[in-house]
Amino acid sequence: MEYQDIAQINMSFSSHLAQTSPYPLGLEIVEAEGCYLYDKSGKRYLDLISGLAVSNVGHCHPEVVSAIKAQADRFLHLIPYGEISQAPQNLLAEKLATILPHSLNSSYFVNSGTEANEAALKLAKRATGRHEVVAIKGSYHGATHGSLSVTGNETKKRAFRPFVPGSSFIELNNLEQLELINERTAAVIIEPIMGDAGVRIPDESYIKALRKRCDETGTLLIFDEIQTGFGRTGKMFAFEHFNVVPDILTIAKAFGGGMPIGAFVSSIENMSQLTHSPMLGHITTFGGNPVCCAAALANINVLLREPWIEDVDKKGKRFKERLDHKAVVEFRQIGLMMAVELASEAQVSRVIQSLLEKGVIGFYFLSCRNAFRLAPPLCITLDQIDFACDCIAEALDALD
Ligand code: PMP
């Protein structure tokens, strides 16, 4: 499509494209490459958000794009549900098995983060024969009914009740409440670093105690690494920080290098439960789309080859040093997953708006409105970080 008639496109944006944000940024982006987005006037924006933690290898990474083109020339879609052996799916599943612990050796590909969590919850019920699920207060696991049922954010849930019965919530880092996990609990679902709650990092001892309690009660531990996966925190997966392996891992966002794909991953023994009673225990028409799988494989290969994940800590430290400003109430961070907390939501809006004018994109959190998020592509350079931090500091200065 040519973007000649931008006025017409904008009319469609406001008249025909359903909106859920009352205040969309409204940028008209016509091209993206690396850490930059370009609008129709040619203005360049430094992306500190990565399309919400998606473009970890940068926008339109050439190897991802060429894998997409090569697969598009072969086939776009075949019979789903694993009926036909498809090379892009097989190769991707094999690659995931090589970068994950042995107990996470079987992957089922889906279309999004929320679907990965829906399917993980179903697998936990099927594998344990139980139906109760324990989740964390303040968590976010997706916008469909099952994932919302285990999302601990009342504002997001209130209008959509009733939910799936059997969900209860415990406080992060509260060891006593681990007692609420018992022999009736099918699964505990947790983000190893809580993203949309504003980057909340659990104590290592808590995650270890959680693993132990799940083992004692025969409960499956689900780690939702939809936001933390693929290098964002300085490790390929955040669970590596805690030396704890989940029973089920869910991934999406940065998995596809910009293409829509998610997965739930577990042991082959657990996954085989989905082949019987009932057969086809989870199905999806588009999940594991071969073009998305080819993109995801190229994306992982880029992440394994480039030094970006190793450099995440160094780059994260640079942000922390440069954002030591009196207007910052709290700076929460692990690697390149950051929350900059200010005195109010109004201040956050002013900073995001002012950054936009300066050609820098920062953004809100879903559930932590007095902080703005920074989650740049992992390929961001130190010079780009310095430029970004100068702009942020100017915006913070102007709050006085
Ligand atoms: N889990 C986590 C931790 C997330 O951050 C998100 C998205 N913000 C989701 C699940 C839902 O993913 P999706 O939007 O792809 O459904």
Side-chain angles (χ1 to χ4, degrees), residues 52-54 111-117 139-144 147 151 189-196 224-228 250-253 261-262 337 366 373:
L52 299 187
V54 168
N111 303 278
S112 65
T114 196
E115 189 191 352
N117 285 335
S139 60
Y140 182 76
H141 295 294
T144 53
S147 300
T151 285
I189 183 165
I190 180 170
E191 301 160 80
I193 313 291
M194 292 173 77
D196 285 311
D224 172 344
E225 292 237 24
I226 286 158
Q227 198 164 143
T228 50
T250 58
I251 51 179
K253 285 194 182 275
I261 180 167
M337 182 172 182
L366 283 179
R373 69 165 94 203

Side-chain angles (χ1 to χ4, degrees), residues 237-260:
F237 297 100
F239 69 74
E240 296 168 41
H241 293 286
F242 303 101
N243 284 314
V244 162
V245 177
D247 299 298
I248 307 176
L249 175 73
T250 58
I251 51 179
K253 285 194 182 275
F255 182 27
M259 293 293 277

Side-chain angles (χ1 to χ4, degrees), residues 148-308:
L148 259 187
S149 302
V150 294
T151 285
N153 177 338
E154 199 42 40
T155 318
K156 291 272 171 292
K157 294 171 72 161
R158 194 169 292 122
F160 304 111
R161 291 187 188 285
F163 288 119
V164 180
S167 313
S168 59
F169 293 87
I170 58 177
E171 276 165 23
L172 188 74
N173 284 337
N174 184 326
L175 291 170
E176 276 169 26
Q177 290 189 359
L178 293 179
E179 292 299 315
L180 298 170
I181 301 163
N182 57 40
E183 278 70 16
R184 290 190 308 279
T185 316
V188 174
I189 183 165
I190 180 170
E191 301 160 80
I193 313 291
M194 292 173 77
D196 285 311
V199 185
R200 312 281 168 176
I201 305 169
D203 300 335
E204 186 176 342
S205 57
Y206 177 77
I207 295 292
K208 289 209 155 84
L210 173 62
R211 174 71 274 180
K212 187 161 168 277
R213 184 69 188 152
C214 287
D215 289 341
E216 286 163 5
T217 55
T219 300
L220 297 187
L221 180 57
I222 304 173
F223 275 0
D224 172 344
E225 292 237 24
I226 286 158
Q227 198 164 143
T228 50
F230 300 96
R232 171 69 40 211
T233 68
K235 305 267 187 202
M236 186 61 96
F237 297 100
F239 69 74
E240 296 168 41
H241 293 286
F242 303 101
N243 284 314
V244 162
V245 177
D247 299 298
I248 307 176
L249 175 73
T250 58
I251 51 179
K253 285 194 182 275
F255 182 27
M259 293 293 277
I261 180 167
F264 61 108
V265 187
S266 190
S267 65
I268 194 94
E269 293 78 21
N270 281 339
M271 286 300 206
S272 66
Q273 303 295 321
L274 297 177
T275 62
H276 58 101
S277 317
M279 61 185 271
L280 302 173
H282 189 72
I283 47 177
T284 152
T285 299
F286 287 126
N289 172 273
V291 179
C292 297
C293 286
L297 180 62
N299 176 58
I300 294 175
N301 284 334
V302 170
L303 285 171
L304 288 175
R305 194 191 59 235
E306 296 288 352
W308 296 332

